[in-house]
Amino acid sequence: SNFVRLYQAELHSKTGIETAAHEGQFPLVLLLHGQVINWHFWGEFLASHGYVVAFCPVAGTYDKRLEADITGVETEMRDAEFALGHLSNDPQVDHKRVAVIGYSHGTLAATALAAKNKTIKAMISLDGVIGDPLEGELLYEAPYFGIHKLTTPLMHLTSGASYSNNMVHIDQLSF
């Protein structure tokens, strides 16, 4: 959209700067949910510290809008699986060091991905709805990737005033 283009034009970003390629393998971080503008600085910051970063844009199953139900969770998770598969042949990705960061509703997909895919070694929830007593219930609806299968270390960051600071689902996890 024009708003995004105008806003990006004012960013003080280093993404246009040419940098020398580095040899070796680097950890991968998948960023789920949110807008490109939200992840721009996170991605740039992580990449500048030696991470391969992949942003998985949000799209719904049947149109542009992501469904706020188990179908939407699975769609977003499968998009992330596609990104993982695409990067599986990249010789610079260290597939033993893969993390996922989910924001808001994206933490549902991040949790599903980590529960289903054991290559995910760490997960961060940023104000994620996995801490919401109602939306977090979605993680129990899919037996093949539900929260009960999560063994990945999880860090859940939320503000005290947030809807996502209820730990009813997170407290049930055992690692």
Side-chain angles (χ1 to χ4, degrees):
S1 75
N2 287 334
F3 171 76
V4 172
R5 269 190 247 120
L6 287 172
Y7 189 70
Q8 285 177 331
E10 296 176 19
L11 296 176
H12 300 287
S13 171
K14 297 180 182 179
T15 53
I17 296 174
E18 292 291 325
T19 59
H22 294 279
E23 297 294 322
Q25 290 189 318
F26 305 93
L28 171 63
V29 177
L30 294 169
L31 305 176
L32 302 185
H33 208 67
Q35 304 296 325
V36 172
I37 201 71
N38 299 111
W39 289 118
H40 176 84
F41 292 110
W42 274 89
E44 184 177 289
F45 177 79
L46 290 168
S48 73
H49 284 80
Y51 292 87
V52 176
V53 180
F55 171 68
C56 300
V58 178
T61 309
Y62 305 105
D63 60 26
K64 290 181 181 180
R65 188 174 203 122
L66 183 69
E67 300 87 354
D69 59 15
I70 197 64
T71 302
V73 172
E74 185 166 358
T75 297
E76 194 169 7
M77 179 200 66
R78 291 195 181 273
D79 288 345
E81 284 181 324
F82 178 84
L84 272 175
H86 181 74
L87 292 166
S88 67
N89 296 323
D90 189 322
Q92 288 197 294
V93 174
D94 181 349
H95 300 286
K96 294 179 182 163
R97 297 186 296 162
V98 179
V100 61
I101 300 174
Y103 168 70
S104 186
H105 195 271
T107 59
L108 295 171
T111 303
L113 180 69
K116 187 177 176 192
N117 189 323
K118 298 307 176 196
T119 62
I120 306 294
K121 301 300 182 198
M123 179 186 156
I124 298 174
S125 163
L126 298 177
D127 215 13
V129 298
I130 60 172
D132 181 85
L134 297 176
E135 288 195 73
E137 287 290 326
L138 289 173
L139 293 171
Y140 298 97
E141 291 185 26
Y144 53 97
F145 63 73
I147 195 167
H148 60 282
K149 294 192 176 202
L150 183 68
T151 58
T152 304
L154 163 67
M155 178 185 286
H156 180 65
L157 302 172
T158 183
S159 68
S162 174
Y163 62 89
S164 62
N165 63 3
N166 184 314
M167 299 297 142
V168 65
H169 306 299
I170 296 169
D171 286 343
Q172 294 179 32
L173 296 174
S174 60
F175 299 98

